[in-house]
Amino acid sequence: KESTLHLVLRLRGGPGSVSLQSRNVTVDDGDDYQYESLNIRQCQMHDVIYESKESCSIKSGESAMVPIGNFALLGDRVLHFDPKESEVAVKKVIHLFNDSDTPLSPGDMSIFDDGRFVSQVNFTPMIPGDDGLIEYGEDSSVDVSRVVNKKSSPNKDEITKCELIYRDDNSGRPKNVGIRVFYKAECETKYSMKNCSSEKSVSKLYIDHTASPLHGGFVIITDEKCVKKTANFSRFEFNLAPEQELEFRVNEEAHYSKDLHSIYDLFSFNKKIVPQLIAAEKVSQQFVGDLEGLIALRQLKEELTKLRNGSITSIDIDRCKMTFTKSYLRVIIQESEKWLELKNKIEEKKRSITTQKNNVETIKEIQARLRVNIKNFEHVANNTATNKLLERYLSDLNKQEDDLINCNKLVEKLNGEIFNEQNMLSAMRQKIWNCVDQAMEIVEDGEGGQ
């Protein structure tokens, strides 16, 4: 049995309401009545003036519902699933079309199904030719669920192309500063629908799908069953027979890019990803050669920076010997070897000073114990054994004193040598700085290499 759905729209207005543009209309008792017009700020429409076909008189202090018009609009009973609103609820809605010539203003809408009040909702304004969904309850006969398969990740996304990144240096010349990798990401959402009713079929089921906002926004590429589409939104329409189950997949894709600048990222990309891109013919040999040249240049600058800062070891120098073949680079390696050798020598002397200072403290402790023992002999009677032991203590004390003098002399000598060698070390460091700065200028000018 079919039923009739009545939609009653109550327009906002009256005392204390938002100020609306209006015009005065004279009714039969001579009083002025203000009819509501559409607020541009509320719904971005032109002013609309409604004129009542019947006269109406309202006494002071009274209120009344005044009929403005009766419109028979086209509408469909639809079930609606929107995961943004709820992941489980399927709503009963009316897909209402304003096929009249009159704009419908916002207000409170009362919905009657076959004479029975079922809901009251806020009505969104509709201009002629516009359509919208009017919700009036939930449906329990249809079950809809979804599973999102997030295929997008930097390790899974397909690389479509690569290009070098250039920026102008201080002289205005283009300078290679990294690479830009372009990816294509994919995302799939599976919707599972089931009509749990054994008697009634579902003539229209709407599923609203909104694309993922990741990577600047995905684009929905599935067009099957699509009845409405915008930049990142699609509405799909289905019908279900009694107890029918249906699966539907919505595919999305996004194109985005990622810039690689650090030496670690460039080296890792060249080692792990570039061979796959070469096999798939997605990069040219020219790009591969330019990338390897960029990595070599970055490694050279990194090594020069370490040499300039002095944060190097003998292993670093041995590695640089194998790659630094230019004469202006060999000079830096030679000077760095001398600097590192002198630095290690100074460190060794500092360790010797620390050892001697520890020996001095030990000698002082031994001397203190010997002096206490010698002083205790004042209360002991003289005999051959005590005299022999006293002589031994005095001999040991004399030996410890000689050792203390020698330690202090050695510490003083080492401190003097360290002072002179540190001055030499500073001069060598300054020379290395100058050589590295000159090498950096040659490299920046593109005239040098390893």
Side-chain angles (χ1 to χ4, degrees):
K1 177 183 177 180
E2 296 184 355
S3 60
T4 303
L5 192 69
H6 297 277
L7 306 179
V8 180
L9 175 62
R10 292 188 179 93
L11 302 179
R12 296 192 182 104
S17 64
V18 180
S19 176
L20 300 174
Q21 296 182 0
S22 62
R23 79 179 183 185
N24 297 333
V25 179
T26 303
V27 294
D28 58 355
D29 61 355
D31 294 334
D32 289 341
Y33 186 82
Q34 291 188 348
Y35 292 92
E36 183 185 21
S37 64
L38 198 61
N39 190 309
I40 298 178
R41 181 174 296 177
Q42 284 182 317
C43 45
Q44 301 295 322
M45 297 167 62
H46 295 290
D47 293 347
V48 178
I49 300 174
Y50 297 101
E51 295 184 1
S52 177
K53 296 181 180 180
E54 299 178 1
S55 300
C56 179
S57 298
I58 304 175
K59 295 181 181 181
S60 177
E62 293 183 351
S63 61
M65 293 181 60
V66 180
I68 300 299
N70 187 9
F71 305 97
L73 304 180
L74 178 64
D76 291 331
R77 293 175 180 268
V78 181
L79 297 183
H80 180 234
F81 177 74
D82 187 355
K84 289 196 305 180
E85 300 294 334
S86 173
E87 288 284 351
V88 294
V90 178
K91 304 291 185 179
K92 294 180 180 179
V93 300
I94 295 298
H95 192 181
L96 186 65
F97 297 86
N98 185 6
D99 53 356
S100 69
D101 296 330
T102 305
L104 302 180
S105 301
D108 295 329
M109 172 178 283
S110 297
I111 303 177
F112 295 84
D113 188 356
D114 199 16
R116 178 174 57 90
F117 175 80
V118 292
S119 180
Q120 184 171 0
V121 296
N122 292 326
F123 178 75
T124 303
M126 296 174 63
I127 61 176
D130 199 2
D131 68 290
L133 300 181
I134 311 298
E135 177 187 334
Y136 66 95
E138 291 190 7
D139 181 83
S140 59
S141 63
V142 176
D143 178 50
V144 181
S145 62
R146 68 168 185 162
V147 177
V148 180
N149 182 13
K150 296 182 178 179
K151 302 178 182 179
S152 176
S153 71
N155 296 328
K156 296 181 180 179
D157 293 344
E158 178 187 355
I159 297 177
T160 57
K161 66 175 182 177
C162 303
E163 63 182 26
L164 299 172
I165 302 175
Y166 290 93
R167 292 178 185 170
D168 293 341
D169 56 16
N170 296 331
S171 61
R173 295 182 305 174
K175 176 183 176 183
N176 189 357
V177 296
I179 63 173
R180 179 165 294 147
V181 186
F182 293 85
Y183 295 90
K184 183 180 77 171
E186 296 179 344
C187 180
E188 180 185 81
T189 303
K190 183 180 74 172
Y191 288 94
S192 300
M193 297 157 274
K194 180 180 180 181
N195 185 1
C196 301
S197 175
S198 60
E199 298 178 355
K200 295 182 179 180
S201 61
V202 177
S203 59
K204 281 189 179 182
L205 168 63
Y206 287 163
I207 292 182
D208 288 353
H209 181 84
T210 303
S212 170
L214 299 177
H215 305 310
F218 277 70
V219 176
I220 302 172
I221 60 176
T222 301
D223 294 326
E224 182 185 1
K225 300 287 187 180
C226 183
V227 295
K228 187 175 183 179
K229 187 173 185 179
T230 60
N232 65 336
F233 166 84
S234 289
R235 175 172 292 163
F236 301 94
E237 179 182 328
F238 305 91
N239 55 75
L240 298 174
E243 297 185 343
Q244 181 184 1
E245 296 184 20
L246 184 65
E247 287 187 353
F248 186 76
R249 287 175 168 79
V250 180
N251 295 303
E252 310 169 25
E253 67 178 28
H255 296 270
Y256 68 98
S257 63
K258 182 180 179 182
D259 294 347
L260 303 180
H261 297 284
S262 69
I263 181 63
Y264 174 79
D265 291 339
L266 294 172
F267 185 81
S268 178
F269 183 83
N270 186 54
K271 182 179 180 181
K272 299 178 181 179
I273 308 299
V274 168
Q276 303 174 17
L277 299 179
I278 294 176
E281 298 182 352
K282 292 185 177 180
V283 293
S284 63
Q285 291 297 329
Q286 178 66 33
F287 172 83
V288 175
D290 292 341
L291 176 59
E292 292 177 350
L294 175 62
I295 293 174
L297 183 62
R298 288 290 185 85
Q299 289 177 331
L300 173 59
K301 289 183 177 180
E302 188 175 272
E303 296 292 350
L304 289 174
T305 301
K306 291 176 65 176
L307 291 172
R308 191 182 193 284
N309 296 335
S311 54
I312 57 172
T313 63
S314 57
I315 297 177
D316 296 327
I317 291 181
D318 291 339
R319 184 177 62 253
C320 291
K321 284 181 178 180
M322 299 174 61
T323 56
F324 285 19
T325 57
K326 299 292 183 178
S327 58
Y328 64 91
L329 297 175
R330 299 297 298 179
V331 172
I332 299 175
I333 291 298
Q334 294 171 1
E335 294 298 327
S336 297
E337 277 188 301
K338 296 177 183 178
W339 176 86
L340 185 60
E341 182 181 355
L342 183 58
K343 180 184 176 183
N344 293 336
K345 186 177 179 181
I346 292 175
E347 294 296 330
E348 181 63 30
K349 290 182 178 181
K350 287 182 178 180
R351 288 191 291 270
S352 298
I353 290 176
T354 301
T355 302
Q356 295 302 320
K357 288 183 177 179
N358 292 335
N359 292 338
V360 168
E361 296 299 325
T362 302
I363 291 173
K364 289 181 179 180
E365 291 177 1
I366 295 174
Q367 286 182 334
R369 179 177 58 81
L370 291 174
R371 289 190 177 94
V372 171
N373 292 339
I374 292 174
K375 187 175 182 180
N376 291 336
F377 276 98
E378 295 177 356
H379 309 288
V380 179
N382 293 331
N383 53 50
T384 304
T386 57
N387 290 336
K388 186 176 180 180
L389 185 58
L390 180 60
E391 289 178 359
R392 178 182 173 183
Y393 285 159
L394 292 173
S395 176
D396 289 345
L397 183 62
N398 184 58
K399 181 180 178 182
Q400 294 296 325
E401 189 67 24
D402 292 340
D403 291 342
L404 180 62
I405 294 173
N406 292 332
C407 287
N408 288 331
K409 287 183 177 179
L410 181 58
V411 168
E412 183 178 357
K413 177 184 176 183
L414 292 175
N415 282 329
E417 292 177 355
I418 289 176
F419 178 78
N420 294 330
E421 290 172 351
Q422 282 181 335
N423 291 335
M424 296 172 58
L425 196 69
S426 299
M428 295 173 65
R429 170 54 46 200
Q430 185 63 48
K431 185 176 181 180
I432 293 174
W433 285 351
N434 296 335
C435 293
V436 170
D437 291 342
Q438 293 176 3
M440 284 288 193
E441 291 179 1
I442 296 175
V443 171
E444 291 293 341
D445 292 338
E447 299 176 358
Q450 293 187 1

